[in-house]
Amino acid sequence: MPDRGGGRVTTSGSMLYEGGVDYFRSQFCKPLLHADFVPTTDAPFKMTAKLGIVDDDYRSLRLQCTPGILRRRNGSRPAPPHCLIITAESNCALLIQEQSIRLKPGTAVVIDGSCEFDLILERDSEQRCLVDWLHIAQGTSTLFPQIEASAMVNSEAITTYIRFHNDLTINGHGPDLAGISQPPSFDHLIEIIREYLLRTALPMQHDSDSQFYEQIKLYINEQLRSRELSPHFIAQHFDISVRKLYALFERMGISLRETITGLRLEAARRDLESGTKKVATILLEHGFGNPSTFYRLYKKHFGQAPRSGRAKAAKGSER
């Protein structure tokens, strides 16, 4: 039976909240979501929220309300490690760590619960905002170690699964989804999200590595004549450890030593072809103290002896 005084109805494993915006803030947002709610329209406030709690490990929430902003700010007492998974059937915007993320229907976002954020709920054609929200009593470092503050999930199959899982948790039944082959479970839901984030993170990591690798190569080129050029010198400039520097070059399929040697050989070849310096001077300027070592490395790198570069310079001067 409805509790008319408090505006709360308890159903099988779920709670249904209905009331005004002040009630929504004080009795629902702050104690359960650790957030405030700010309406963004003058229209009368309407809200329906269903909550399902499972073994204190996670909560499922289905929220439908008029447009507004769910604003989460860390209080004086830090919250225990947890993460949030949010998907919407209407357009939303997430503002987190000076980033703005568009959350369209068919997408989800994983959020580190320790981060402050604004979730802007926008109206759709039916003048409503519908959000599915999972609160999980574990931090992202445990469940999703490859993300820091937030990560997008651009998978309609996963968002459908989240809604299906919420239906089961909140109402005890869900729609008939022929596309889902495995019986729904919380562990399976977390696993498919984890696999998705891992697959999408790999190419992004490679792109990031490639850009950083090119930046380091450019810096090495600028410092080739410096006697201080060393792994420690490079790592210090980019504010990373020498270990991370070596690991980056290993992921790019080449060692740091080979890269520095190759860039020195290419610079030496340019000087040889210019014909303006003695060979001994070129060797010393580019860090080759042993002529025999230089000749061996030069031939291995270019497939020909250093004298070919000097011969090319001589022909150029004759012309």
Side-chain angles (χ1 to χ4, degrees), residues 219 228 230-242 245:
Y219 179 71
E228 296 181 359
S230 66
H232 178 76
F233 182 77
I234 299 167
Q236 190 175 38
H237 176 79
F238 288 97
D239 196 24
I240 60 174
S241 67
V242 174
L245 180 65

Side-chain angles (χ1 to χ4, degrees), residues 6-8 17-29 47:
R8 183 177 69 184
Y17 288 80
E18 294 178 328
V21 65
D22 292 335
Y23 174 81
F24 180 54
R25 285 170 169 166
S26 62
Q27 301 299 317
F28 191 86
C29 288
M47 179 277 298

Side-chain angles (χ1 to χ4, degrees), residues 294-310:
F294 172 74
Y295 277 75
R296 176 175 54 81
L297 292 173
Y298 190 100
K299 188 171 184 179
K300 180 180 178 181
H301 190 80
F302 295 109
Q304 53 190 5
R307 60 176 176 271
S308 61
R310 184 59 84 188

Side-chain angles (χ1 to χ4, degrees), residues 51-245:
L51 176 70
I53 301 176
V54 181
D55 299 330
D56 292 328
D57 289 332
Y58 68 96
R59 295 194 293 265
S60 295
L61 167 68
R62 174 154 295 159
L63 174 64
Q64 183 172 336
C65 67
T66 49
I69 303 173
L70 278 171
R71 182 160 289 159
R72 208 169 213 232
R73 296 293 181 268
N74 296 327
S76 57
R77 182 184 303 174
H82 69 283
C83 67
L84 306 171
I85 302 174
I86 299 174
T87 182
E89 290 189 16
S90 56
N91 290 327
C92 295
L94 176 70
L95 306 181
I96 183 170
Q97 292 193 340
E98 300 182 353
Q99 293 185 357
S100 178
I101 302 172
R102 297 297 304 174
L103 189 60
K104 299 180 180 179
T107 63
V109 63
V110 180
I111 304 173
D112 187 328
S114 65
C115 293
E116 297 182 345
F117 63 85
D118 289 348
L119 181 65
I120 303 173
L121 307 176
E122 302 173 1
R123 69 180 69 211
D124 63 7
S125 58
E126 298 181 15
Q127 305 297 309
R128 62 165 191 174
C129 306
L130 182 59
V131 174
D132 280 308
W133 172 306
L134 290 178
H135 178 121
I136 306 167
Q138 294 184 54
T140 54
S141 60
T142 302
L143 292 178
F144 311 107
Q146 64 270 30
I147 76 169
E148 294 182 0
S150 64
M152 284 294 298
V153 180
N154 293 303
S155 169
E156 191 168 350
I158 291 179
T159 57
T160 301
Y161 195 102
I162 291 171
R163 295 190 187 106
F164 184 32
H165 188 272
N166 266 15
D167 278 331
L168 289 172
T169 305
I170 295 169
N171 302 319
H173 61 83
D176 182 18
L177 298 177
I180 296 180
S181 57
Q182 184 168 341
S185 71
F186 173 69
D187 290 338
H188 178 58
L189 174 60
I190 295 302
E191 188 59 34
I192 61 176
I193 294 175
R194 184 187 293 119
E195 290 179 359
Y196 174 89
L197 292 177
L198 182 60
R199 289 197 307 269
T200 56
L202 288 174
M204 292 175 62
Q205 177 67 42
H206 183 269
D207 291 343
S208 177
D209 282 350
S210 297
Q211 293 177 8
F212 195 23
Y213 171 72
E214 293 300 328
Q215 290 177 12
I216 294 174
K217 278 182 60 179
L218 181 61
Y219 179 71
I220 292 172
N221 250 325
E222 294 171 350
Q223 302 296 324
L224 282 178
R225 299 179 189 275
S226 173
R227 294 185 178 182
E228 296 181 359
L229 184 61
S230 66
H232 178 76
F233 182 77
I234 299 167
Q236 190 175 38
H237 176 79
F238 288 97
D239 196 24
I240 60 174
S241 67
V242 174
R243 183 178 179 181
K244 287 186 177 181
L245 180 65

